[in-house]
Amino acid sequence: MRRLLAILIPGLLLLTACGGGEPAAPEPTSQSAGETAKLDSLKLTDNGEKKAPGVEFTKPLDVKDPTIKVVKEGDGDRVKANQVADISIVAFNGKDGSTVEDTFAKDPEKLELNDDLKSGSAVIYNAFVGAKVGSHLALAVPGKAASAQGGDAQPSQLLVIKILAAKDAPKVLDKPEGDAVTPPAGLPTVKENDKGVPVISVDGVAAPTALISQDLIKGKGQAIKETDTVTVNYVGVALAGGKVFDSSFDSGKKATFPLNGVIKGWTQGLSGKTVGSRVLLVIPKALAYPDATAASGQPVGDLVFVVDILGVK
């Protein structure tokens, strides 16, 4: 299922990051921004739970800058920095008012009000931080001109967003936490170097006939599902030769991604594991990059990973 924020937010980050300078610190109440007078005609009609409100606005709606404001205030607690907001969205074509997408009947979208959003899009961040749970925000997204390559022009869009809930973001660990587990013989061995980075040895390890997912540290946190988004550190080596081909430790930055958006060996091997765990994955080629070649830029053959599961959302 396509998620509306995943489509629109990246473009908004580009638009709103061009103003330069540091974003303003959020005030105790939501901050409006942009051409807010163009949203004065907006009227909402409540249609009940899990249903988008009726929306009326003067058409065509055309804005040059991202524009946002609270159009109907809720009666819940104010949303705080570093929380995760549950939201539902209905989007309209600003030119003719037709509905582009409606997520109200689906599971809520998640919007993390973290430093990445604050530095990338102060407009969005400052509107949500300080708004009350239950509020409806209107967000007008500028359209796009036709491209020189023949791409069609896109009209402005109007999003009406309801804040359903807000809660503190789940804690992300700095390193695995839990009980050490002694793995069975015959698997790759793992030691830490003086910087705490896992070092994998594959000497004498036979090619796997099936996926192997072995806890090295058993964490005591939440069990993860394949539909979750996880935050991890990891090291990956080729079973043939043991050469490292990828490591989040090299960048010094944890990796965050949806578990169902990676290779099958990760999705299957990490589902059900718990936050705080360090997991050894021995992945047959068929569950890694089955079509990889030396020229493809992807690792070839059976792979071995050590994955530290540090957070889930």
Side-chain angles (χ1 to χ4, degrees):
M1 178 175 62
R2 285 165 59 111
R3 306 296 277 175
L4 200 56
L5 283 181
I7 300 167
L8 292 175
I9 289 294
L12 284 172
L13 295 182
L14 293 175
L15 285 165
T16 57
C18 294
E22 293 297 319
E27 297 292 338
T29 55
S30 170
Q31 294 182 33
S32 300
E35 304 164 64
T36 55
K38 292 188 176 181
L39 298 176
D40 287 348
S41 68
L42 186 62
K43 295 181 180 179
L44 304 182
T45 304
D46 187 6
N47 287 325
E49 292 294 321
K50 302 290 285 185
K51 293 183 179 179
V55 178
E56 299 178 25
F57 62 97
T58 300
K59 297 174 279 292
L61 173 65
D62 185 29
V63 294
K64 303 303 181 185
D65 299 304
T67 297
I68 191 166
K69 74 172 184 178
V70 173
V71 292
K72 183 178 180 182
E73 188 171 59
D75 56 7
D77 294 336
R78 293 197 183 278
V79 179
K80 299 176 182 177
N82 296 314
Q83 288 191 319
V84 178
D86 287 351
I87 60 178
S88 289
I89 307 169
V90 59
F92 302 94
N93 181 310
K95 182 177 181 179
D96 60 20
S98 59
T99 301
V100 176
E101 189 165 355
D102 178 0
T103 73
F104 272 77
K106 305 173 186 177
D107 291 337
E109 306 268 4
K110 304 283 186 183
L111 181 62
E112 290 189 68
L113 301 166
N114 54 22
D115 287 343
D116 288 342
L117 183 62
K118 182 179 179 181
S119 61
S121 179
V123 167
I124 295 173
Y125 178 91
N126 289 337
F128 274 88
V129 173
K132 291 183 178 181
V133 171
S135 294
H136 290 76
L137 284 73
L139 169 62
V141 182
K144 295 181 180 179
S147 69
Q149 292 74 31
D152 293 337
Q154 300 294 324
S156 295
Q157 288 193 19
L158 172 67
L159 283 68
V160 174
I161 307 164
K162 184 176 183 180
I163 304 175
L164 304 172
K167 58 185 178 181
D168 293 340
K171 179 183 178 183
V172 176
L173 303 175
D174 289 324
K175 60 182 181 179
E177 297 179 3
D179 299 325
V181 178
T182 301
L187 297 182
T189 58
V190 180
K191 297 181 179 180
E192 287 189 358
N193 64 18
D194 57 2
K195 296 181 180 179
V197 177
V199 177
I200 304 170
S201 173
V202 297
D203 292 346
V205 177
T209 57
L211 174 66
I212 298 170
S213 177
Q214 172 64 46
D215 285 326
L216 302 178
I217 297 173
K218 175 65 174 177
K220 298 180 180 180
Q222 174 183 334
I224 62 176
K225 306 183 295 294
E226 69 173 52
T227 53
D228 286 335
T229 294
V230 295
T231 298
V232 303
N233 267 329
Y234 66 91
V235 177
V237 306
L239 183 60
K243 182 178 180 181
V244 175
F245 61 83
D246 195 9
S247 172
S248 65
F249 291 93
D250 289 346
S251 67
K253 189 173 183 180
K254 303 177 184 76
T256 299
F257 49 80
L259 189 55
N260 58 8
V262 289
I263 61 173
K264 292 180 179 179
W266 273 56
T267 306
Q268 296 175 18
L270 297 182
S271 294
K273 298 297 184 181
T274 51
V275 174
S277 296
R278 169 169 286 177
V279 182
L280 173 68
L281 298 175
V282 185
I283 304 177
K285 178 180 179 179
L287 297 179
Y289 300 94
D291 300 321
T293 64
S296 69
Q298 297 173 325
V300 177
D302 305 324
L303 306 179
V304 180
F305 288 91
V306 170
V307 184
D308 293 344
I309 305 173
L310 304 175
V312 62
K313 55 188 175 182

